[in-house]
Amino acid sequence: MPLSNNILSFLFNMQLPFALPNGIDVLDVHKDAAVRNACTTFYKSFYHDSRPRHLLLGINPGRFGGGITGIPFTDPIRLQQDCGIENNFQKKQELSSVFIYDMIQAFGGPQAFYSRFYISSISPLGFIKDGRNLNYYDDAHLKNKIEPFVIQCINTQLRWGLIRDVCFCIGEGENLKYLKALNQKNKWFNTVQGLPHPRFIMQYKLKQKQKYLDNYLAYLQAAS
């Protein structure tokens, strides 16, 4: 079965297996028909094969990237301009998506990058609190409850034949700490390599952006 079919089935059938704490809502856009169409076109375009890929894991989807398009680190602008997929989503920019697609273009473009890498998240479902993005680790109750869901999601995706010598963790703080602890218990990957989070780079280190792009490319090219 092509990888695209596995990815789409996974995305379209996700369910959070526990009740969320009061005031926190799940961000799952894959029930929306326009999102399903965009995801289907994207994954059929770049993943309709059985080639093994390395995995990059972010935190969880945010409101302006994957929380709109259903595709990790891909805002509606990048989906149309970089991936060539027309869409009617509101053309809002996500800083993380800007960095990731600058990196993808430097790698050789979406076709070259996505033929070697698959991007997902520790939690493929996002979270909202008080109208703002919430990282899974920012709420103690959520962080405690989410572990079985995270393990299930990673196990499911690894069954597709992803390469396990190294996993790239997008985020060098709490996300990396959490993934390394889980990897120690579950023995998924030989190595978990942390990468600075694109939002941190774009918000606080913009003048050094090229250095961070070069850093990403060095690690990814060495793995591919």
Side-chain angles (χ1 to χ4, degrees):
M1 180 184 292
L3 184 54
S4 57
N5 292 30
N6 286 321
I7 297 170
L8 292 168
S9 177
F10 171 70
L11 292 177
F12 295 168
N13 293 288
M14 277 189 296
Q15 286 189 321
L16 204 61
F18 60 90
L20 286 168
N22 286 339
I24 299 177
D25 295 311
V26 71
L27 178 64
D28 180 10
V29 295
H30 294 103
K31 308 232 178 339
D32 180 82
V35 171
R36 285 180 174 238
N37 288 339
C39 287
T40 299
T41 303
F42 177 87
Y43 287 108
K44 294 285 187 184
S45 297
F46 298 113
Y47 291 89
H48 202 60
D49 58 66
S50 300
R51 181 172 179 161
R53 290 162 168 86
H54 280 97
L55 175 64
L56 289 86
L57 285 174
I59 301 168
N60 42 245
R63 290 173 298 149
F64 301 125
I68 293 179
T69 64
I71 302 159
F73 291 98
T74 303
D75 66 24
I77 299 171
R78 260 38 66 176
L79 182 62
Q80 188 156 314
Q81 293 182 357
D82 292 70
C83 301
I85 298 173
E86 297 283 333
N87 64 85
N88 292 321
F89 301 124
Q90 186 176 359
K91 298 302 185 290
K92 283 189 174 182
Q93 175 170 286
E94 183 192 51
L95 289 178
S96 293
S97 185
V98 173
F99 179 88
I100 288 293
Y101 274 88
D102 283 348
M103 181 273 293
I104 286 173
Q105 291 298 351
F107 190 88
Q111 199 71 55
F113 180 83
Y114 288 126
S115 70
R116 293 169 176 82
F117 298 96
Y118 165 66
I119 304 180
S120 186
S121 301
I122 296 288
S123 173
L125 293 175
F127 305 98
I128 301 290
K129 184 175 183 179
D130 300 326
R132 303 182 68 180
N133 291 332
L134 179 74
N135 296 326
Y136 68 85
Y137 53 71
D138 285 334
D139 180 272
H141 182 70
L142 177 58
K143 182 180 178 182
N144 182 55
K145 284 279 192 180
I146 203 172
E147 184 172 315
F149 174 68
V150 171
I151 292 171
Q152 176 191 347
C153 288
I154 292 177
N155 282 334
T156 296
Q157 292 170 99
L158 289 179
R159 283 197 291 270
W160 307 337
L162 299 175
I163 302 170
R164 299 198 191 198
D165 60 344
V166 58
C167 173
F168 296 97
C169 181
I170 302 175
E172 293 180 303
E174 289 298 317
N175 205 42
L176 180 60
K177 181 180 175 183
Y178 186 80
L179 180 56
K180 280 190 168 183
L182 282 184
N183 188 57
Q184 192 168 13
K185 288 192 286 186
N186 292 276
K187 311 298 182 188
W188 292 315
F189 312 104
N190 296 347
T191 305
V192 176
Q193 176 62 55
L195 297 170
H197 198 281
R199 182 163 187 89
F200 168 79
I201 297 167
M202 297 295 284
Q203 195 163 353
Y204 300 108
K205 300 289 183 180
L206 189 56
K207 290 182 179 179
Q208 301 172 54
K209 179 182 171 187
Q210 189 59 51
K211 181 191 81 171
Y212 285 101
L213 284 170
D214 293 342
N215 183 45
Y216 261 70
L217 289 170
Y219 279 117
L220 296 178
Q221 287 169 343
S224 63

